[in-house]
């Protein structure tokens, strides 16, 4: 008699009748590794983006005499946990064919100020050949692989894909776990005999024998291991190993840990804590190869061992100079996977990287970058440039995984390796179609973070994404929308691209509620690109979501909420949805102003521009440094001119109170006469200011903007300010902006999304934007005061014409 085991593989719901039909047809006929045909749901309804299903549910059955022989003892089983499949994906939040709701009121601010409405969409569900094959059967505890008729680029094994480098040097075998090669499996009867011996001889079992039993049991056929973990004899064996754990030799403990990996011991099994404790006591007695192997085994088990790693890193602080090249790379991998490392140790490891840099291969470069990135450890600019140089030298042979990892680290360190980025721009369009959406997201995000715009790369991303948008996580959708908005680029397939992503926001709304920062990132990226889905915006600004964002997210999101709220208030005049409370608006505005004022007043080039404008116009009452649009997070210098293009003293903060003592200011304005301007134009500034002089006709004397009276000695002094006529509004309002290179795409004069949006909104409010560009103003700082004043005069009054 045989007991039938049915195992279900994770994936999307499929309409196939589950257990009975498969059992009837496949009992005693299915071998490990065989797969069933998947079923597909079809729909005639079309949508802007084609969605693909993940793997459907599937079942396999096995004839297991060993299982039947052990079921009689079920009443005594007491393991307390169920098997865990290492590397198995968690269940998805959303079914790929979950009915879509309606996304309405998407306000877009193109020239026609149109609204993009997305109607009710029920996406046509399409199963590709790649996603129609079931996961093949693998030994429990080993990473899952999938057999496909054609390569499924969305399949990414987070364990195995990061360990490719271990296959490139034989030295790695000394300190890393390698799955055992094909060997003679233990028979069912031999396994039963071992468990029987454990029960009978438990009082006399010695540590070496226990280790041998674990090693032998780990060679059982894959389909028997699940049953083994539930067997009371195996539970007894585990108890005996923990009871006498101090008596085990280090090598025996390592053998047992290897057996745990092969058997697929659940990462939450309580006995693993006892093993971690024992290894903590043995750290200082082990060599580097053993320590790295143990850390690697813990990684394979998926069991976090912070205590062991802390002691291990202390050991390394004393022995780091003894690390060989393979040990160094493997250590950096382990550090990255554990997400922890002392910064002083990472600095020492960087010096070793530079020592071995010419011997490191391309895949190892990617491993180094990923390890430092995951542990939030920085590499110096010098080290990153060396890594970039090596990658550029042979980028065609750089794997996509390594390429993504290097880009992650360039983004993290903000190193603008322009040669690497140009080579990347040549290679990326070829790689993107065969890269999973997570990799595509990282490529796109790196471009936006480094301000690197390459139309070929962005077009390739935009073209490849809509057909597989269903594979995107909420994070992927958010970062891709943010990147396109930041780089201020709309691809040729703009409508298809944005429609598919906006629909995906709706489909994954439950996931966005879990990660509220991702929804705000989406909406800000869309706002940069002049898309305003009002349904989502109203939800994001609702009191419930604001409270959710403040309580659940690990990030401070008040600035993002305020930016979104202020943007909608200006760019969507017909918007009637939720808005932030006035209290929260005021609180965030005050924080942003304090930050902006501190930042700008610490920059010599800004202070020079401010004081020069005050000098040119006649005093501080004619210039106001403030945030015209606080939600855009940057400040401006505002100047107002009347009908005659004379500056208005509108800055009330610089005007004394009427009941206070009269302030007598000496006139410090500079009269720009024909003689003075001709002297300036004879110098190097001739070409720059000649056009302005012709249009201004040498400009007006600026002291006319003040009310002057004669004193007893006949000299002119400013007795008081001339208040502007309340009935006369300023003819021109100028928003003077001192820009820097970080506001533009790298090496261009194209503004990034946030700064472009700010100018768009200033113009909408009636301001004229005057740019003091860094490529013009910074060189002038070394010139004479009169040249600076002439430049500012041209900028202010030419803009006002």
């Amino acid at each position: 008699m045989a007991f039938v085991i049915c195992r279900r593989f994770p994936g999307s719901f499929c309409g196939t009748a589950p257990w009975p039909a498969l059992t009837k047809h496949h009992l005693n006929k299915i071998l490990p590794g065989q797969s069933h045909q998947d079923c597909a749901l079809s729909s005639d309804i079309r949508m802007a983006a084609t969605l693909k299903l993940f793997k459907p549910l599937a079942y396999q059955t096995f004839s297991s005499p060993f299982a039947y022989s052990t079921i009689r003892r079920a009443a005594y089983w007491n393991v307390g946990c169920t098997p865990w499949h290492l590397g198995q994906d968690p269940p998805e939040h959303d079914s790929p064919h979950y009915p879509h709701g309606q996304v309405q009121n998407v306000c877009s601010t193109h020239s026609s100020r149109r609204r993009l409405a997305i109607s009710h969409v029920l996406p046509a569900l399409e199963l590709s050949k790649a996603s129609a094959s079931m996961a093949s059967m693998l030994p429990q505890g080993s990473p899952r692989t999938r057999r496909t008729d054609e390569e499924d680029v969305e399949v990414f094994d987070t364990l195995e894909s990061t360990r490719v480098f271990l296959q490139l040097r034989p030295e790695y075998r000394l300190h890393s776990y390698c799955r055992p090669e094909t060997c003679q499996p233990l028979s069912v009867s031999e396994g039963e005999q071992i468990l029987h011996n454990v029960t009978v001889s438990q009082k006399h079992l010695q540590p070496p024998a226990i280790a041998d039993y674990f090693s032998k049991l780990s060679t059982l056929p894959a389909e028997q291991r699940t049953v083994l973990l539930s067997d009371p004899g195996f539970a007894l064996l585990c108890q005996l190993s923990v009871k006498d754990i101090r008596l085990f030799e280090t090598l025996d403990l390592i053998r047992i840990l290897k057996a745990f990996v092969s058997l697929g011991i659940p990462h939450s099994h309580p006995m693993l804590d006892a093993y971690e404790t024992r290894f903590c006591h043995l750290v200082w007695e082990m060599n580097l190869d053993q320590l790295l192997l143990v850390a690697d085994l813990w990684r394979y088990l998926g069991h976090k061992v912070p205590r062991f790693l802390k002691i291990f890193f202390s050991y390394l602080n004393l022995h780091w100079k003894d690390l060989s090249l393979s040990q160094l790379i493997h250590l950096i991998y382990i550090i990255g996977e554990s997400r922890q490392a002392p910064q002083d140790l990472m600095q020492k490891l960087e010096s070793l990287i530079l020592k071995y840099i010419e011997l490191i291969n391309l895949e190892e470069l990617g491993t180094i970058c990923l390890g430092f990135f995951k542990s939030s450890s920085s590499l110096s600019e010098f080290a990153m440039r060396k890594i970039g140089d090596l990658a550029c030298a042979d980028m065609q042979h750089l794997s996509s995984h390594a390429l993504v990892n290097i880009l992650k680290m360039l983004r993290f360190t903000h190193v603008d390796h322009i040669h690497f980025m140009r080579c990347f721009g040549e290679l990326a369009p070829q790689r993107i179609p065969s890269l999973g959406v997570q990799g595509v997201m990282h490529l796109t995000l790196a471009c936006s973070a480094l301000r690197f715009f390459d139309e070929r790369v962005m077009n390739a991303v935009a073209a490849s994404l809509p057909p597989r948008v269903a594979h995107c996580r909420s994070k992927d959708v958010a970062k891709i929308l943010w990147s396109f908005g930041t780089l201020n680029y709309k691809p040729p397939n703009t409508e298809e691209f944005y429609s598919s992503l906006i629909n995906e926001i709706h489909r994954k709304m439950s996931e966005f509620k879990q990660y509220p920062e991702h929804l705000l990132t989406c909406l800000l990226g869309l706002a940069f690109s002049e898309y305003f889905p009002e349904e989502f915006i109203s939800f994001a600004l609702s009191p419930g979501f604001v409270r959710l964002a403040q309580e659940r997210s690990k990030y401070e999101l008040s600035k993002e909420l305020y930016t979104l709220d202020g943007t909608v208030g200006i760019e969507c005049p017909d918007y009637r949805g939720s808005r932030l409370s006035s209290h929260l608006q005021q609180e965030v505005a005050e924080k942003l102003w304090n930050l902006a004022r501190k930042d700008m007043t610490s920059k010599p080039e800004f202070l020079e521009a401010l004081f020069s404008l005050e000098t040119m116009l006649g005093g501080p009452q004619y210039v106001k440094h403030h945030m015209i649009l606080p939600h855009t997070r940057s400040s401006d210098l505002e100047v107002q001119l009347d009908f005659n293009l004379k500056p208005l003293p509108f800055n009330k903060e610089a005007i004394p109170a009427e009941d206070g003592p009269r302030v007598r200011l000496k006139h410090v304005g500079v009269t720009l006469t024909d003689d003075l301007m001709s002297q300036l134009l004879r110098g190097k500034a001739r070409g720059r200011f000649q056009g302005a002089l012709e249009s201004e006709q040498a400009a007006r004397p600026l002291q006319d903007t003040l009310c002057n009276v004669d004193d007893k000695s006949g000299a002119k002094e400013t007795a008081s300010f001339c208040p502007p006529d309340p009935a006369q509004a300023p003819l021109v309002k100028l928003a003077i902006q001192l820009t820097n290179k970080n506001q533009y795409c790298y090496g261009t004069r194209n503004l990034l999304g946030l700064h472009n949006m700010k100018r768009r909104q200033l113009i909408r409010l009636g301001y004229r934007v005057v740019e003091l560009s860094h490529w013009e103003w910074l060189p002038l700082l070394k010139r004479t005061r009169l040249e600076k004043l002439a430049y500012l005069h041209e900028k202010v009054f030419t803009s006002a014409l």
Side-chain angles (χ1 to χ4, degrees):
M1 180 177 178
F3 180 67
V4 177
I5 300 173
C6 176
R7 297 187 62 191
R8 187 178 72 175
F9 290 83
S12 303
F13 172 81
C14 182
T16 303
W19 153 251
L22 288 178
T23 304
K24 179 179 179 181
H25 183 68
H26 292 287
L27 187 60
N28 294 325
K29 294 183 179 180
I30 299 299
L31 298 176
Q34 288 183 317
S35 61
H36 303 289
Q37 286 293 339
D38 292 330
C39 60
L41 296 174
S42 61
S43 172
D44 296 331
I45 303 173
R46 297 178 180 239
M47 63 172 292
T50 301
L51 306 181
K52 293 182 180 180
L53 288 178
F54 291 103
K55 304 289 187 289
L57 293 180
Y59 298 83
Q60 284 191 333
T61 57
F62 306 97
S63 174
S64 178
F66 178 68
Y68 175 70
S69 67
T70 58
I71 195 171
R72 292 171 298 180
R73 295 177 285 177
Y76 302 97
W77 295 354
N78 182 23
V79 175
C81 51
T82 57
W84 174 72
H85 299 260
L86 189 63
Q88 180 170 303
D89 296 334
E92 290 292 327
H93 293 291
D94 312 294
S95 170
H97 48 280
Y98 185 82
H100 287 44
Q102 183 176 9
V103 182
Q104 299 175 335
N105 297 329
V106 182
C107 175
S108 173
T109 58
H110 296 298
S111 58
S112 60
R113 299 293 300 170
R114 59 182 175 81
R115 289 174 180 268
L116 171 64
I118 300 178
S119 59
H120 280 82
V121 178
L122 181 62
L125 302 177
E126 183 178 307
L127 267 176
S128 67
K129 293 181 181 179
S131 61
S133 61
M134 193 188 69
S136 59
M137 186 64 188
L138 280 180
Q140 173 134 357
S142 61
R144 184 181 61 185
T145 62
R146 308 178 185 187
R147 295 184 178 180
T148 58
D149 294 331
E150 55 187 51
E151 185 180 6
D152 187 348
V153 298
E154 302 306 330
V155 174
F156 179 76
D157 192 318
T158 56
L159 180 62
E160 286 299 324
S161 297
T162 57
R163 297 173 63 85
V164 175
F165 73 97
L166 293 172
Q167 304 170 14
L168 303 181
R169 295 181 190 272
E171 298 95 314
Y172 285 118
R173 290 182 173 272
L174 299 175
H175 45 77
S176 65
Y177 172 74
C178 299
R179 281 181 291 176
E181 297 180 358
T182 304
C183 59
Q184 183 66 32
L186 191 71
S187 67
V188 173
S189 59
E190 289 173 326
E192 288 183 321
Q193 184 61 45
I194 289 176
L195 296 179
H196 175 73
N197 293 342
V198 171
T199 304
V200 173
S201 308
Q202 56 179 296
K203 294 183 179 180
H204 307 290
L205 283 179
Q206 297 300 313
I210 293 175
D212 286 339
Y213 283 164
F214 275 117
S215 295
K216 290 178 180 178
L217 289 172
S218 68
T219 64
L220 276 170
E223 63 270 19
Q224 309 296 342
R225 296 174 191 169
T226 302
V227 182
L228 172 68
L229 297 182
S230 303
D231 190 280
F234 184 76
L236 178 60
L237 184 62
C238 293
Q239 293 171 8
L240 292 174
S241 72
V242 172
K243 178 183 176 182
D244 298 328
I245 198 168
R246 291 181 176 274
L247 303 179
F248 283 84
E249 296 290 338
T250 301
L251 293 178
D252 286 336
L253 290 173
I254 293 175
R255 287 171 60 203
I256 293 174
L257 214 55
K258 286 182 178 180
F260 287 169
V261 172
S262 297
L263 291 169
I265 296 294
H267 68 94
S268 57
H269 199 295
M271 72 172 174
L272 295 182
D273 291 331
Y275 276 85
E276 180 193 1
T277 300
R278 183 55 186 157
F279 276 112
C280 286
H281 293 137
L282 295 174
V283 167
W284 296 93
E285 300 175 16
M286 299 165 68
N287 59 42
L288 282 171
D289 282 342
Q290 291 174 332
L291 288 167
L292 287 169
L293 176 56
V294 169
D296 202 46
L297 290 167
W298 285 124
R299 164 60 185 148
Y300 237 96
L301 282 167
H303 184 77
K304 295 183 179 180
V305 285
R307 292 176 296 147
F308 171 78
L309 290 175
K310 183 177 180 180
I311 300 172
F312 182 24
F313 294 153
S314 297
Y315 174 95
L316 286 168
N317 262 317
L318 297 178
H319 299 276
W320 63 277
K321 291 183 179 180
D322 300 330
L323 288 167
S324 66
L325 173 57
S326 64
Q327 289 173 338
L328 170 66
I329 305 300
H330 193 194
L331 172 62
I332 293 172
Y333 160 78
I334 289 170
I335 287 172
E337 297 305 306
S338 66
R339 305 298 202 279
Q340 66 179 84
Q343 292 305 306
D344 56 339
L345 174 62
M346 300 307 288
Q347 292 175 4
K348 295 173 181 176
L349 297 186
E350 180 180 335
S351 65
L352 282 180
I353 292 170
L354 294 174
K355 173 184 175 182
Y356 293 121
I357 193 69
E358 298 299 332
L359 303 175
I360 297 175
N361 61 47
L362 293 175
E363 200 65 34
E364 289 169 336
L365 290 177
T367 301
I368 290 171
C369 289
L370 185 62
F372 273 77
F373 177 81
K374 283 186 172 181
S375 62
S376 300
S377 305
S378 185
L379 282 167
S380 66
E381 180 178 349
F382 178 77
M384 284 308 304
R385 294 200 179 279
K386 291 290 290 184
I387 290 174
D389 291 342
L390 290 173
C392 288
D394 195 16
M395 188 169 283
Q396 288 294 335
H397 294 97
L398 185 67
S399 71
S400 295
H401 180 67
L403 175 64
V404 170
N405 292 339
I406 294 173
L407 283 168
K408 285 180 181 179
M409 202 59 196
L410 286 172
R411 167 166 64 90
F412 183 76
T413 56
H414 297 285
V415 174
D416 53 346
H417 196 302
I418 192 60
H419 181 49
F420 177 90
M421 296 306 294
R422 285 173 179 163
C423 293
F424 159 74
E426 295 284 342
L427 180 67
Q430 308 164 24
R431 297 284 185 91
I432 286 172
S434 61
L435 197 62
V437 291
Q438 292 187 34
V440 173
M441 177 273 288
H442 282 297
L443 296 185
T444 314
L445 184 61
C447 288
S448 66
L450 296 171
R451 302 179 292 109
F452 178 78
F453 173 72
D454 190 302
E455 190 172 10
R456 299 165 300 177
V457 176
M458 304 305 288
N459 286 346
V461 171
S464 72
L465 203 61
R468 48 188 176 139
V469 71
H471 294 290
C472 291
R473 305 164 298 172
S474 61
K475 179 180 180 179
D476 301 323
V477 175
K479 300 300 185 183
I480 289 171
L481 285 174
W482 172 268
S483 299
F484 273 79
T486 296
L487 293 174
N488 195 22
Y489 180 68
K490 294 177 181 176
N493 63 331
T494 292
E495 293 302 322
E496 178 193 23
F497 175 73
Y498 280 103
S499 294
S500 64
L501 288 171
I502 291 172
N503 278 323
E504 196 62 19
I505 295 175
H506 191 283
R507 199 181 75 88
K508 286 189 165 60
M509 185 51 70
S510 60
E511 191 176 334
F512 281 106
K513 291 177 182 177
Q514 187 177 358
Y515 301 100
E517 64 273 12
H518 294 166
L519 179 59
L520 293 177
T521 301
C522 283
L523 296 178
L524 289 176
L526 286 168
F528 295 163
S529 301
E530 302 178 80
Y531 284 92
F532 300 93
E534 295 186 1
E535 178 184 347
F536 298 147
I537 293 172
S538 183
F539 172 72
L541 297 179
S542 64
F545 184 84
V546 171
R547 185 167 55 254
L548 180 73
Q550 292 173 335
E551 294 173 356
R552 181 171 295 183
S553 177
K554 62 181 179 179
Y555 303 101
E556 170 56 52
L557 299 177
S558 57
K559 296 176 185 177
E560 284 72 21
L561 289 165
Y562 184 52
T563 299
L564 181 63
D565 181 80
T567 294
V568 173
I570 295 174
E571 301 213 40
C572 293
D574 298 331
Y575 173 77
R576 295 295 180 267
S578 304
R579 297 293 300 271
L580 293 184
S581 65
S582 57
H583 172 73
L584 183 57
Q585 290 183 29
Q586 183 177 358
E587 178 183 331
V588 180
E590 184 177 348
K591 290 180 181 179
L592 291 173
W593 167 236
N594 290 335
L595 290 173
R597 178 173 54 187
K598 182 178 180 180
D599 176 56
M600 296 304 291
T601 55
S602 66
K603 296 179 178 179
E605 63 271 21
F606 170 80
L607 295 176
E608 183 68 24
L610 174 61
F611 296 150
S612 296
L613 281 170
E614 290 177 351
T615 299
M616 185 186 77
L617 298 174
Q621 69 275 16
Y622 296 96
V623 185
K624 185 175 183 179
H625 174 218
H626 68 128
M627 301 177 80
I628 301 175
L629 301 177
H631 64 277
T632 59
R633 312 185 191 188
S634 57
S635 59
D636 308 278
L637 296 172
E638 183 174 356
V639 171
Q640 296 184 4
L641 304 177
D642 66 8
F643 182 78
N644 296 315
L645 298 186
K646 292 183 179 181
L648 296 174
F650 73 102
N651 187 0
K652 297 180 180 180
E653 297 176 3
I655 300 177
E658 294 181 0
D659 55 350
R662 282 191 179 273
V663 178
R664 300 181 62 83
L665 299 175
K666 291 186 177 181
H667 174 56
V668 294
V670 176
T671 303
L672 298 177
T673 63
D674 291 340
D675 292 339
L676 176 57
M677 293 302 292
S678 63
Q679 291 178 28
L680 293 173
L681 292 171
R682 282 197 295 269
K684 293 183 180 180
R686 181 180 186 86
R688 176 181 296 164
F689 303 121
Q690 183 65 50
L693 217 134
E694 293 174 355
S695 61
E696 298 278 342
Q697 295 185 0
R700 301 173 181 81
L702 294 179
Q703 68 266 30
D704 290 345
T705 61
L706 304 175
C707 294
N708 297 318
V709 295
D710 291 336
D711 60 10
K712 293 182 180 179
S713 62
K716 287 187 176 181
E717 288 188 351
T718 303
S720 63
F721 298 113
C722 292
D725 183 357
Q728 182 183 4
L731 176 67
V732 179
K733 293 188 296 183
L734 303 179
I736 303 175
Q737 299 179 347
L738 181 62
T739 62
N740 61 71
K741 65 178 183 179
N742 293 329
Q743 296 176 0
Y744 301 86
C745 292
Y746 188 93
T748 74
R749 296 183 181 181
N750 301 324
L751 280 170
L752 297 177
L754 175 63
H755 307 287
N756 182 69
M757 184 181 75
K758 176 181 178 179
R759 293 196 182 182
R760 191 171 71 227
Q761 294 175 8
L762 284 170
I763 293 171
R764 187 170 177 79
L765 293 179
Y767 281 86
R768 296 188 186 180
V769 179
V770 179
E771 179 181 2
L772 306 183
S773 58
H774 64 277
W775 59 83
E776 291 179 349
W777 180 247
L778 292 182
L780 275 175
L781 296 179
K782 300 177 181 179
R783 308 301 292 271
T784 66
R785 179 168 175 265
L786 292 179
E787 287 178 291
K788 298 171 190 172
L789 293 173
Y791 170 80
L792 293 174
H793 184 275
E794 176 199 8
K795 283 288 185 180
V796 169
F797 291 101
T798 301
S799 300
L801 292 176

